Amino acid sequence: MDIPSYSIDFKKYPLPKRLRHHAGANLYVPYSNLKKEPEYYPPLYTSLNWVQIFKNSKPPDELDIGCGKGAFLLSRANQFGDRNILGIELRETLPQWLNEIIEGEGIPNCAVIWHNAANGLSFLSNDSILNTFYLFPDPWPKRKHLKRRLFSEALLTELYRIVSPEGRVYIATDVEELHNHHLEVLKSSGKFNVDENSRNDAWNLPVTNKEAFCKLHDIPIFKIILQKKL
């Protein structure tokens, strides 16, 4: 299938008003750890009807965890028109906004759900995801906020389950301390082969807004590519 070519006039889709960089603190906590459910906590999905989500009625081939404003997500969908890519985002207004763009522009292989990945990915089948992207997550540098970081043994267990044997997990950050945290969790887990010094040709992904900013200002970027051990 040919990769679709489309350009988006974002003036037709103004960003939601009062868009915050972070959601409420409790939204980052797994539901099982909450003492009281917040008023606007993301849905707890156990299954999804792909017929209602993708035009070809098939499940996703790729996963963008923390897709934000969707620049990478939309570029990736354009790059590989024969692959369904699913975005996950914690802030409710962004999935609503992105799905409006996807619907308005008739992009068939892209969709976004409002979900906290800390609650697992049980709606995805075993060995079903070719590529997973975890790009420039919030670093949460303060000690009191470390519990909000998504990258954990629990997340790696889910990724190991859903990623196909030939699949990859791509991780990027411009925060060295967070990069080291990722490496520590990966070492403790032992579930993945870790390529810490990924070649540019191995990366070969669309540039995110954050990555473009880092390159413009000569800010180092730390990249990791994972392949699960068999």
Side-chain angles (χ1 to χ4, degrees), residues 49 92 148:
N49 186 348
E92 182 181 14
R148 298 184 194 176

Side-chain angles (χ1 to χ4, degrees), residues 71-72 75 135-136 172 174 203 205-221 223:
F72 175 88
S75 296
L135 306 176
F136 300 96
D174 60 322
W203 194 257
L205 300 177
V207 175
T208 69
N209 291 335
K210 181 66 172 180
E211 184 174 359
F213 175 87
C214 290
K215 288 182 175 180
L216 180 64
H217 296 278
D218 294 321
I219 300 172
I221 299 172
K223 296 180 177 179

Side-chain angles (χ1 to χ4, degrees), residues 19-159:
L19 177 62
R20 297 180 179 180
H21 183 68
H22 299 299
N26 287 340
L27 298 189
Y28 294 87
V29 179
Y31 185 82
S32 59
N33 292 352
L34 290 173
K35 295 180 180 179
K36 181 180 179 181
E37 181 178 343
E39 185 176 357
Y40 296 108
Y41 197 80
L44 299 174
Y45 294 112
T46 56
S47 64
L48 289 171
N49 186 348
W50 304 118
V51 173
Q52 298 176 350
I53 294 177
F54 291 111
K55 297 295 185 182
N56 62 8
S57 303
K58 296 180 179 180
D61 303 289
E62 299 192 334
L63 185 66
D64 185 6
I65 299 177
C67 64
K69 296 177 183 177
F72 175 88
L73 180 85
L74 295 170
S75 296
R76 186 68 178 178
N78 182 60
Q79 185 182 26
F80 290 98
D82 59 343
R83 299 179 186 175
N84 288 346
I85 180 167
L86 179 69
I88 292 178
E89 175 56 41
L90 186 66
R91 291 169 289 174
E92 182 181 14
T93 53
L94 286 176
Q96 294 174 347
W97 176 69
L98 283 169
N99 284 320
E100 179 184 352
I101 294 173
I102 292 166
E103 181 67 24
E105 299 298 315
I107 304 172
N109 62 322
C110 188
V112 186
I113 61 170
W114 180 37
H115 178 63
N116 181 357
N119 289 317
L121 304 166
S122 60
F123 47 86
L124 297 173
S125 301
N126 295 353
D127 302 324
S128 65
I129 301 297
L130 179 61
N131 294 308
T132 299
F133 309 103
Y134 186 65
L135 306 176
F136 300 96
D138 290 326
W140 297 114
K142 295 182 180 179
R143 181 170 295 276
K144 66 179 181 178
H145 293 159
L146 293 182
K147 63 183 179 180
R148 298 184 194 176
R149 288 180 175 175
L150 174 61
F151 202 84
S152 63
E153 175 67 34
L155 177 65
L156 288 178
T157 297
E158 277 291 76
L159 292 180

